[in-house]
Amino acid sequence: MLKKYGVATALSLLIIAAPLSGAHAESINDMQKRQNEIEQKKSEIDKNIDSKNSELNHLESAEKDAAKELESLLKSIDETNKKLKEQEGKVDSENEKLKQLKKEMEKLRNDIRDRQKVLDNRARAIQTTGTATAYLDMIFEANDFKELIDRVTVVSAIVKADQDIMQDQKDDQDKLKVAETTSEKKLENLKVLAVELEVSKNNMESQKQEKNDLVMALANKKDLTKSEQTLLASEQGALTDEEKRLASNIAGEKAKQEAAIKAAEEKRMQEAASSANNSTAINNSGSGSSGSTETVDSGGGGGQFIKPASGILTSGFSERTNPVTGKYESHKGQDIAGGGTITVSAAASGTVVFSGFGASGSGFGGYGYVVKIDHGNGYQTLYGHMRAGSLKVVTGQRVSQGQPIGIMGSTGQSTGQHLHFEIHKNGVPVNPAPYL
């Protein structure tokens, strides 16, 4: 914006000079040039305002879509929570059944022990008293046929009772074995179910965090765009005010110039009627005065880890230009790229210390869906940009080397599907290449 035009000084010179001086013409030209610049600037601002309006409409549309997606996701989470409660009820029911089964198993064990005592006592009696021979003696010492039949019947009943005890013993032992196997399977199924429920819940909560971050980012960007609109409108208003001042100054300058020209012409005609000597003297005096100048203020102004996913190494551990931010910075790991559905596996066995969406301020911002595993001895690995909803592990879970933990994706600060893989030693990122 122009700060000073030097109009007053130029006008005072016009009253003295007969012709219009170059300084006045330049002053008007400068102001007219500035008017053209303002018109161009206002046109650019109009285009920028239109662009911001379009951007704002797009952001509002995106914000509505994200809000709808978040609302839908919250409904899904509610439904999942209901299912989780149902599953928890089933788990509680199975636990009650297991308690009952344990009681039955304990009863079977007691029955088996009791019958085993009877059989053991019978076996000791046979060894010490010769009961088996006594059975035969009792049969053959019968006095008559009827007594023989009676004694055979008694001996048969005793033998039958012993056989029934042994059969019951075998049946109960078989039942106990089946019951123990069933119990172990149910316990294993409950553990698997618990892990699946935790993984499902973790994925849903991670997606919720991602959508919340998106809605917040869109809202912040919308506020920023509105602020930019306000600044543009303010700048446009200032230019309009300056344009009005310039137009007023130009009109006043022209009016004063025309008045000065008219006065100079009248003076010239009066001087022409005087004597030649006086006219010459006056003209010489006027010529000397025209040498004045105008002052204008211009202003100023090792092999212990396995490769976590199949694919091509597209970027290694090095200094590079960030493809998202454009900044030259350290790339603290490897980028492994591939198409389609590619499983990401744990590079070594360890404990999951984080599994979820890397929200701003979480220490994992920009990584999208990320998993971090602690392997002990100061080593940790990080797996970033995985597909939304694909995480297969939860925080605190033990994993083995090669166990699937997610699917390669392009979430967070990413320009395409790939896995960002890091190895940390004592908290410091190191080049993964020598360790694979």
Side-chain angles (χ1 to χ4, degrees), residues 219 248 259 435:
S248 176
Y435 295 87

Side-chain angles (χ1 to χ4, degrees), residues 22-33:
H24 299 95
E26 184 179 358
S27 177
I28 292 175
N29 287 338
D30 286 345
M31 286 190 286
Q32 289 174 335
K33 182 180 179 181

Side-chain angles (χ1 to χ4, degrees), residues 214 222 400:
L214 176 60
K222 189 174 75 171
S400 57

Side-chain angles (χ1 to χ4, degrees), residues 140-156:
F140 290 120
E141 288 177 359
N143 295 318
D144 54 40
F145 184 74
K146 181 180 182 303
E147 186 178 353
L148 175 64
I149 295 300
D150 290 339
R151 291 188 179 192
V152 169
T153 301
V154 171
V155 171
S156 297

Side-chain angles (χ1 to χ4, degrees), residues 4 39 72 101 111 114 125 128 130 160 169 198 222 238 264-265 279 281 392 402 419 424:
K4 193 173 182 182
E39 285 296 329
S72 176
L101 182 59
D111 291 344
D114 291 342
T128 57
K160 179 66 168 57
Q169 187 79 340
E198 284 297 330
K222 189 174 75 171
E265 181 63 21
S279 179
K392 302 182 183 299
L419 171 69
H424 295 187

Side-chain angles (χ1 to χ4, degrees), residues 172-190:
D172 284 350
Q173 287 174 338
D174 291 341
K175 285 180 183 179
L176 181 59
K177 185 175 181 180
V178 171
E180 288 176 339
T181 302
T182 303
S183 176
E184 290 173 358
K185 286 183 178 179
K186 284 186 178 180
L187 284 172
E188 184 63 29
N189 289 337
L190 286 174

Side-chain angles (χ1 to χ4, degrees), residues 167-230:
Q167 185 61 44
D168 290 342
Q169 187 79 340
K170 181 178 181 304
D171 291 343
D172 284 350
Q173 287 174 338
D174 291 341
K175 285 180 183 179
L176 181 59
K177 185 175 181 180
V178 171
E180 288 176 339
T181 302
T182 303
S183 176
E184 290 173 358
K185 286 183 178 179
K186 284 186 178 180
L187 284 172
E188 184 63 29
N189 289 337
L190 286 174
K191 290 179 182 179
V192 172
L193 179 60
V195 171
E196 290 176 352
L197 292 176
E198 284 297 330
V199 169
S200 176
K201 184 177 180 181
N202 184 65
N203 276 314
M204 295 288 282
E205 290 295 336
S206 296
Q207 291 178 49
K208 175 185 172 183
Q209 182 63 55
E210 181 187 24
K211 292 301 178 185
N212 278 330
D213 278 13
L214 176 60
V215 170
M216 289 297 296
L218 289 171
N220 290 336
K221 192 170 183 180
K222 189 174 75 171
D223 290 341
L224 178 62
T225 303
K226 286 182 178 179
S227 298
E228 291 172 343
Q229 276 185 320
T230 302

